[in-house]
Amino acid sequence: MRPPQVLREGTKKTVFVNFMDLCKTMHRQPEHVMMFLLAEMGTSGSLDGQQRLVIKGRFAPKNFEAILRRYINEYVICNGCKSPDTILSKENRLFFLRCEQCGSSRSVAPIKAGFVAQVGRRKAGT
Ligand SMILES: [Zn+2]
C-alpha cells in the first residue's frame, strides 16, 4: 500500500490527499475508513470538493500510517489466511469480515461511537 500523502493546511488543519485512493486499494467504504480515522484521532473532519479528507488538528504522515495499519489489521486482513481479499458487510448493526480466499468469517469491533455524531453519519458522502 502506498504511504499516506499528507499536507498541512494553515495551522489548524491537516489534509489527507490520497485518502480516496487508499480506500479503493483496501476496497473499503470511505465513510467507514473516515469514521475509524477520526475516532482514533479524536477529532472531526470531512471530505472536501476534491475528495480529500480535511481533518481538524495537526497530524504527521506517520500518525495516519499507524492508524491505517490498525484499520487494515482489524477490518481488512483475514485472521485465518492473512489475505486482504475480504468483504466487510453489515448485518443487524454488526460488521462482519468475510474472506474471499478461505471463506472464513469473523465479526469485527464496532467503531467507537463517541465521535461519529460529530461527523454526521447521514451527511457522509454528500
Ligand atoms: Zn482467509
Side-chain angles (χ1 to χ4, degrees), residues 78-83 99 101-104:
C78 170
N79 269 0
C81 68
K82 306 292 173 202
S83 165
C99 179
Q101 291 299 320
C102 71
S104 77

Side-chain angles (χ1 to χ4, degrees), residues 16-79:
F16 188 169
V17 180
N18 58 348
F19 171 70
M20 284 303 217
D21 277 355
L22 294 180
C23 292
K24 271 180 209 153
T25 308
M26 298 187 293
H27 302 290
R28 286 297 170 268
Q29 294 289 326
E31 290 82 8
H32 189 256
V33 182
M34 180 164 96
M35 253 195 275
F36 183 78
L37 267 174
L38 297 177
E40 289 289 308
M41 287 172 156
T43 185
S44 58
S46 59
L47 291 173
D48 71 2
Q50 298 167 61
Q51 302 283 286
R52 304 179 310 175
L53 180 59
V54 181
I55 296 174
K56 223 188 258 178
R58 290 165 73 163
F59 300 97
K62 66 170 193 282
N63 298 135
F64 289 88
E65 241 179 282
I67 292 171
L68 286 170
R69 200 163 297 146
R70 282 210 292 281
Y71 181 86
I72 290 168
N73 283 336
E74 181 67 34
Y75 299 105
V76 182
I77 297 283
C78 170
N79 269 0

